[in-house]
């Protein structure tokens, strides 16, 4: 695993994300903060501690070749339902060189089990909103 935890603040929010496997699929309803998390990771990856983060979304050029070129990366894919085809899903499921955080609703062909399925959850603690990923029920 590249990261077991990502922890950072973006006032008034605090993120504490823990990972238990190399494949984490974050599902959930629209407008729950998943794409906002992706946007925050764009800045976080500029910090030395998090420089292994590689981001892909629907705006990424040459996604499939870019993904294949990654080694020892924490790969975050937003809008995965749009980007991933069956070949890419198979590649990800067999790739042991990288760790994945996939934001999407469809786990098809990723060989994901319930241990890989999570949702982004927010909780108000005092004045701060804390986001975590929790098992998807």
């Amino acid at each position: 695993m590249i990261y077991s935890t990502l922890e950072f603040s973006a006032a008034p929010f605090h993120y504490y994300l823990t990972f238990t496997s190399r494949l984490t699929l974050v599902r959930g309803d629209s407008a729950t903060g998943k794409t906002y998390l992706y946007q925050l990771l764009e800045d976080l990856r500029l910090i030395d501690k998090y420089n292994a983060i590689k981001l892909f979304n629907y705006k990424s050029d040459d996604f499939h070749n870019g993904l294949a070129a990654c080694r020892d990366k924490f790969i975050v894919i937003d809008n995965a339902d749009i980007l991933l085809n069956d070949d890419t899903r198979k590649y990800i499921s067999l790739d042991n060189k990288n760790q994945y955080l996939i934001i999407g609703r469809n786990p098809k062909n990723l060989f994901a089990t319930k241990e890989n399925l999570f949702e982004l959850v927010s909780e108000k603690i005092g004045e701060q909103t804390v986001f975590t990923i929790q098992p998807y029920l």
Side-chain angles (χ1 to χ4, degrees):
M1 294 225 323
I2 309 302
Y3 296 115
S4 60
T5 305
L6 294 178
E7 184 174 10
F8 59 96
S9 292
F13 305 120
H14 184 78
Y15 289 81
Y16 187 77
L17 311 175
T18 57
F19 306 98
T20 56
S21 72
R22 63 165 204 83
L23 176 62
T24 302
L25 178 62
V26 176
R27 304 172 77 183
D29 296 331
S30 297
T32 57
K34 298 181 303 293
T35 296
Y36 184 64
L37 169 62
Y38 177 91
Q39 292 169 349
L40 293 174
L41 293 174
E42 289 179 324
D43 291 336
L44 188 68
R45 70 189 173 121
L46 301 175
I47 299 170
D48 285 341
K49 178 179 177 181
Y50 294 119
N51 66 1
I53 295 173
K54 179 70 176 166
L55 302 165
F56 294 102
N57 69 6
Y58 66 93
K59 297 178 187 177
S60 299
D61 292 330
D62 202 16
F63 164 69
H64 300 284
N65 289 328
L67 183 65
C70 291
R71 297 289 180 271
D72 299 318
K73 297 293 184 184
F74 182 86
I75 299 170
V76 181
I77 303 172
D78 190 22
N79 307 110
D81 298 332
I82 297 170
L83 288 174
L84 301 181
N85 61 31
D86 285 342
D87 290 337
T88 306
R89 289 171 184 273
K90 183 177 179 183
Y91 174 83
I92 290 170
S93 69
L94 299 173
D95 179 17
N96 61 2
K97 298 172 195 75
N98 300 295
Q99 183 179 354
Y100 292 87
L101 172 61
I102 299 175
I103 301 169
R105 291 181 180 90
N106 184 358
K108 177 185 160 208
N109 293 335
L110 286 169
F111 304 117
T113 64
K114 65 180 183 177
E115 287 79 22
N116 303 104
L117 303 177
F118 293 84
E119 64 182 327
L120 187 64
V121 175
S122 65
E123 178 182 0
K124 190 81 166 169
I125 300 176
E127 295 296 315
Q128 196 169 47
T129 301
V130 177
F131 284 87
T132 59
I133 53 173
Q134 301 292 323
Y136 188 81
L137 301 175

